[in-house]
Amino acid sequence: MDMPRLPATRDLVLIGGGHAHALVLRKWGMNPLPGARVTVINPGATAPYSGMLPGFVAGHYDRWELDIDLVKLARFAGARVVLGAATGLDLEARVVHVPGRPPIGFDVASVDIGITSDMPALPGFADHAIPAKPLGPFAARWDHYRAGDTPAHVAVIGGGVAGVELILAMAHALKQRRRLAQAHLIDNAQALMAIGTKARARLIQALSEQGVTLHENVEIAGIEADGIRLADTRLIRSDFTTGAAGARPYDWVSETGLALENGFISVDAQLRSSDPAVFATGDCAHLTASPRPKAGVYAVRQAPILYHNLCATMSGHSLRPYRAQKDYLKLISMGDKQALAERFAATWSGPLMWTWKNRIDQSFMQKFRDLPKMEQPELPQPHAQDMQAALGDKPMCGGCGAKIGQPALRAALAPMASTSRSDIEMLPGDDAALLRIGSARQVISTDHLRTLTPDPVMMTRIAANHALGDIWAMGATPQAALASVILPRLSPALQERTLSEIMTTATETMREAGAEIVGGHSSVGDEMTLGFTVTGLCARDPITLAGAQAGDALILTKPIGSGTLMAAEMAGIAHGDDIAAALDLMMMPQGQAAQVLATAHAMTDVTGFGLAGHLMGICDASQVAARLDLSTIPLMKGAASLAKQGVRSSLFPENRAVLPNLPQGNVADLLFDPQTAGGLLAAVAPDQATQLCEALRASGYPAAIIGEMINGPIGISLS
């Protein structure tokens, strides 16, 4: 007998994607705690690894090599990712605040948000400099700066190890490009006092070899557009200034009510804060029992203890203490491919040390690049015939990738093509019907989605905009909506928490579209499924699939490729940034686009049957052919490369079978990619097309003219 799917009863929220949390997620994927639901909150889809930042700045690594892909890692761990920066932790309400979404409830939380080297008290820093931490924004700014071709003047504020590594890397990179004019390292005390005498002497020698001017025991009055103004009025010229002086906690931590030490979260030997349900690790934490300097090695070694203690807290077991070593091996980059190693005052330097450091760093990152493959369970024996064919060779996609194929759907719905009621008009090919109530005209449609992301808030926005697509495509104004919610098995507390997130988001999304949630239905099932039945009011005749004319231009308001990207994400081969961008597009409402396209002759929303399938719907209803220019069709970031690798949604074969005569392979196959909450496809008068497309772009839609309607046998051709 199969074991029933266990309900979730506890929410674990990981605030920040620091090194310890990344390792916890990896461990969780291999050994999750049954009944615990995990959320990770991070400003972006990736978390940069600090150990390789100097190598990137020096030009030894590409930008992507720095990043731990949290989206991919969360998929492996079965966790949801919330892409946003936490701004508050309410201990009484047990929620985390992230702008732009309902509060995120937790039973146990852990904080690993790192530190910032921002200097808000230093005049002009916010306007004319960039802190070295957080690493993501700094790396992006440096990448742009070093690509220039003018003489470079750079400066780093802070004479610690981090500041020395940065200025050596910057000087090396700019010398390689023949751009270095001046490089400065500035400190208000003596530089490099946290390391031994021999190591300090070798690094100061390296500064001289790289042409870096060291300014010690100087005070800075402020940062100006063209450099750093010292207290003695001297100006150190710099057009790229960064700060690596010390470590400052994020401001919101001070408002949590947790016990702090100089702004950092105080934790005991078990990594617990003053609230036993809240843990902290990495640079944002202060170890009260054994204080240690801010260094990534401690966060990495805290990860196994943190994982155990989080599980123990949620399961009622004993916690373990973290015992920090007294000293650790310091491997310090020296600009070129050399490094200095120091431990217990012993020092070594040279290319061999850089090779050693690189091997350690690459080994750490490889843990996240090649995640363990989880074995699929064997089919039970014996089993009914055709079981393997029905399962397919990969997991079923979510969103519109889980739709029933077009041939089966058409055959089943054929008897429903007409109605006996005079006040209902079935619109051929459309997913909505026109209702007449006196002189009023109302359209009604319904849609629901199998979950494609475990985040209820994101999933609700996508499902709501997806359901509204038919209303917008008909030129109607959204009016009312009924919600249909299926939740997986959860404890009553988690049911309430999840349903609150869903309904808060649904209400906001529908109201933004001009509609109101007026009721709905909820039930429990194997997985989260969300849907809406939506009505809209028509001030004039609705825009249908019929009405397109030969010569009309075809406008598409959103790029395609979401089915391929989500299939790749399920397989663990998509880039997190690409998935985040695709989800943002799926959450983009089409209300303004529908207003711009109000004069369209025919219009539809591109969803499960793909661009080609929905365009064929216009061709059939309008009795006219279409020609697409493949080179003009906008594609989601990453979709083309994945298509060339052979990645396909599980619905692709059935979509492709509808139009077997179109070219096959690579980008052409994206025409049959099922879209979730896709764009509007409109046939418009040719003399209006350019103006309409420009208006759409001005409203924020990545719209394009992708083809035209033509005379000829009904069908689609490519130019």
Side-chain angles (χ1 to χ4, degrees), residues 410-425:
R410 282 182 174 175
L413 297 180
M416 301 172 57
S418 62
T419 175
S420 61
R421 293 187 61 101
S422 60
D423 55 354
I424 298 177
E425 182 181 347

Side-chain angles (χ1 to χ4, degrees), residues 15 33 66 123 274 339 393 398 430 496 502 514 532 558 597 661 696:
I15 306 170
L33 176 67
L66 268 65
S274 54
D393 58 358
D430 279 288
E496 179 182 348
I502 290 170
F532 297 89
K558 283 187 187 182
L597 295 169
N661 295 328
L696 287 165

